[in-house]
Amino acid sequence: MKHAQWLLALAILLGDLPLWTNSAAAQKEVNDLMKKKLEQSQKILEGIALSDFDKISAGAGELIQVSKAAEWRVLKTPQYEVHGNEFRKAAEAIIQNAKAKNLDGATLAYVDLTLTCVKCHKHVREVRMARND
Ligand code: HEC
């Protein structure tokens, strides 16, 4: 019996090994994508500060692309989906306001966007803490 348990544990361990290497590469892709998110949102802020509507639109457009990447879906919870939708909606509102050359509107939408960053990260932390990983 003991022996069988040990074999089972070994089988699980070995079976998981390729998964670990896979997930290390996948994790890097996720990190790169998430960093891109920060860069593009900084670009939007720069655009807002300089009233550069093209820069604002370009940054928000990139953010929408980022949110459509497969690596974006780190968690499969409904709440994560909601935060992702709000992120996209805020980015779209930024583009609309930039097109209308409405700096105040773009700034407000940027604040909304920033709130979605914080809310989603909070959700991710809570889920991970609960799962203890
Ligand atoms: C829908 C959820 C969601 C939204 C919205 C979101 N993020 Fe993230 N973000 C994540 C997740 C998930 C991670 C962690 C990825 C991991 O470590 O597995 C992350 C990680 C990061 C990281 C760390 C990257 C690294 O090197 O580990 C940065 C920086 C970041 N996000 C910036 C932002 C900014 C800026 C915004 C808003 C403009 C934002 N995020 C909005 C889900 C989100």
Side-chain angles (χ1 to χ4, degrees):
M1 188 61 197
K2 269 257 149 67
H3 197 64
Q5 273 172 358
W6 192 84
L7 274 179
L8 184 67
L10 186 70
I12 291 169
L13 197 67
L14 289 177
D16 260 359
L17 278 178
L19 262 181
W20 287 344
T21 34
N22 254 339
S23 71
Q27 184 63 45
K28 195 192 171 302
E29 285 191 24
V30 170
N31 286 351
D32 287 349
L33 187 81
M34 298 302 174
K35 276 192 198 119
K36 202 166 157 198
K37 208 172 37 173
L38 179 62
E39 282 163 21
Q40 296 306 326
S41 53
Q42 284 167 340
K43 190 163 139 190
I44 298 172
L45 180 59
E46 191 182 341
I48 287 173
L50 302 174
S51 270
D52 181 338
F53 292 109
D54 289 339
K55 192 168 258 173
I56 295 171
S57 288
E62 285 287 335
L63 282 185
I64 292 172
Q65 289 312 310
V66 164
S67 77
K68 287 180 177 163
E71 294 82 21
W72 171 267
R73 303 194 64 223
V74 172
L75 294 187
K76 268 108 194 139
T77 63
Q79 193 63 30
Y80 189 85
E81 199 73 25
V82 168
H83 292 311
N85 287 338
E86 280 175 358
F87 175 88
R88 260 187 302 276
K89 254 193 270 169
E92 275 156 14
I94 291 174
I95 294 176
Q96 272 158 18
N97 281 292
K99 274 194 188 140
K101 306 220 179 300
N102 179 348
L103 192 62
D104 289 346
T107 307
L108 278 178
Y110 181 76
V111 173
D112 280 344
L113 178 83
T114 310
L115 287 178
T116 73
C117 316
V118 178
K119 284 185 200 160
C120 187
H121 291 173
K122 192 165 170 244
H123 171 64
V124 172
R125 270 199 306 275
E126 281 166 1
V127 169
R128 286 193 170 157
M129 246 193 296
R131 286 181 188 166
N132 204 11
D133 66 23

